[in-house]
Amino acid sequence: MTGDTVRYALFAEVFAALAHPKRLEIIRLLASGEDTAGGLADKTGLSKANLSQHVHILKARGLVHCEKRGAFCHYRLTSPKVLETCELVRQLILDQMDLTTQYRRQLASVAPLRKKGAS
Amino acid sequence: MTGDTVRYALFAEVFAALAHPKRLEIIRLLASGEDTAGGLADKTGLSKANLSQHVHILKARGLVHCEKRGAFCHYRLTSPKVLETCELVRQLILDQMDLTTQYRRQLASVAPLRKKGAS
DNA sequence: GGCACGGGATGTTCTTCAAGCAACGCGTGA
DNA sequence: TCACGCGTTGCTTGAAGAACATCCCGTGCC
């Protein structure tokens, strides 16, 4: 039981790393090839400090790898499985949208997560 | 750009739904077949109220489906892709562990996410 | 060496999430 | 009808996450 608990926590950590729009955007950018922190900050519109934080989270979870060359840090994805996971979730979302328009509206109105929008 | 932003947010919502140990445990339980809210609460050790909240999040993201039969709510996974995603992440974690023991220690000590453990 | 720049780390504030508790609606069976 | 069990919803409190500002360190250039 405890072992499972730890395992689930480990899973959750990885999912949590992916549970942010900007971090997903970073991953998508890195899918096109490695990039520097400055480049990522510029393309995502994040401040360097903020991007550094997000990248640190991705690094801590082992999703991206950092290689320091001179004054620049070059980031890249550690595994293509990261992209596969995103693709799978994309299909999951599309499936839900295809299933019923009802589900589609739920997903669209789910952003606040406070009001169920079903009023 | 804005469209991409929305898309990333949608992705993030789904990942966020998976970014909790107890919700992953619920998914794992539902992988064995549908179950009632009471059954899930009992097996996960959550209170009925708390479980209801977690299941609501999974429902809102379209990961589980609820069917009310009499006084009981029967929950089941909406798609096998949910399990596939978890499996992919599991392989991702195993890959990282295999890569280097260093990565393994990072993942193991990542829980607080504050101190990098590198003293 | 001195300076500017890229990148990371720290601290603060604000927002959001999670768990506990209590109360309610609802269907069931007596 | 009434009481009971099942499930959900509010509210509240505490903890985690995110954005921002600031400072520090290492590198490259003058």
Side-chain angles (χ1 to χ4, degrees):
Chain A
M1 178 67 87
T2 307
D4 281 350
T5 301
V6 172
R7 196 181 55 148
Y8 289 131
L10 208 55
F11 270 66
E13 291 289 332
V14 175
F15 280 120
L18 296 169
H20 193 286
K22 286 299 180 185
R23 289 200 287 269
L24 291 173
E25 195 175 345
I26 292 170
I27 288 174
R28 182 62 64 185
L29 287 171
L30 292 180
S32 308
E34 69 174 31
D35 203 344
T36 65
L40 291 173
D42 184 44
K43 289 163 188 163
T44 58
L46 293 170
S47 68
K48 291 181 188 297
N50 199 358
L51 180 120
S52 183
Q53 288 180 315
H54 284 302
V55 163
H56 170 70
I57 292 172
L58 292 173
K59 233 190 327 181
R61 265 66 173 200
L63 300 176
V64 306
H65 180 72
C66 173
E67 186 182 348
K68 203 157 196 169
R69 293 204 286 269
F72 293 82
C73 277
H74 295 257
Y75 291 99
R76 60 176 175 80
L77 296 179
T78 55
S79 166
K81 287 196 175 67
V82 178
L83 289 177
E84 293 176 29
T85 303
C86 291
E87 175 59 22
L88 205 47
V89 170
R90 195 179 74 90
Q91 292 178 17
L92 200 55
I93 294 174
L94 291 178
D95 284 356
Q96 300 307 321
M97 286 182 169
D98 284 351
L99 268 183
T100 59
T101 304
Q102 200 179 28
Y103 270 111
R104 199 197 121 89
R105 286 196 300 174
Q106 277 189 344
L107 278 169
S109 70
V110 85
L113 195 57
R114 288 288 171 75
K115 48 195 71 170
K116 272 96 36 191
S119 70
Chain B
M1 178 67 87
T2 307
D4 281 349
T5 301
V6 172
R7 197 181 55 147
Y8 288 131
L10 208 55
F11 270 66
E13 291 288 333
V14 175
F15 280 121
L18 296 169
H20 193 285
K22 286 299 180 183
R23 289 200 286 270
L24 291 173
E25 195 175 344
I26 291 169
I27 288 174
R28 182 62 64 186
L29 287 171
L30 292 180
S32 308
E34 70 174 30
D35 204 344
T36 64
L40 291 173
D42 184 43
K43 287 163 190 164
T44 58
L46 293 171
S47 69
K48 291 181 187 296
N50 199 358
L51 179 121
S52 183
Q53 287 179 315
H54 284 302
V55 163
H56 170 71
I57 292 173
L58 293 173
K59 231 189 327 181
R61 264 65 172 201
L63 299 177
V64 305
H65 179 71
C66 173
E67 186 182 348
K68 204 155 196 169
R69 294 204 287 268
F72 293 81
C73 275
H74 294 258
Y75 291 99
R76 59 177 174 81
L77 297 179
T78 55
S79 165
K81 286 196 175 67
V82 178
L83 288 177
E84 293 176 31
T85 304
C86 292
E87 176 59 22
L88 205 47
V89 170
R90 194 179 74 89
Q91 292 179 16
L92 199 55
I93 294 175
L94 291 178
D95 284 356
Q96 300 308 321
M97 287 183 168
D98 284 350
L99 267 182
T100 59
T101 305
Q102 200 177 30
Y103 271 110
R104 199 197 122 89
R105 286 196 302 171
Q106 276 189 345
L107 278 170
S109 70
V110 85
L113 194 56
R114 290 285 170 75
K115 47 196 71 171
K116 273 107 19 197
S119 76

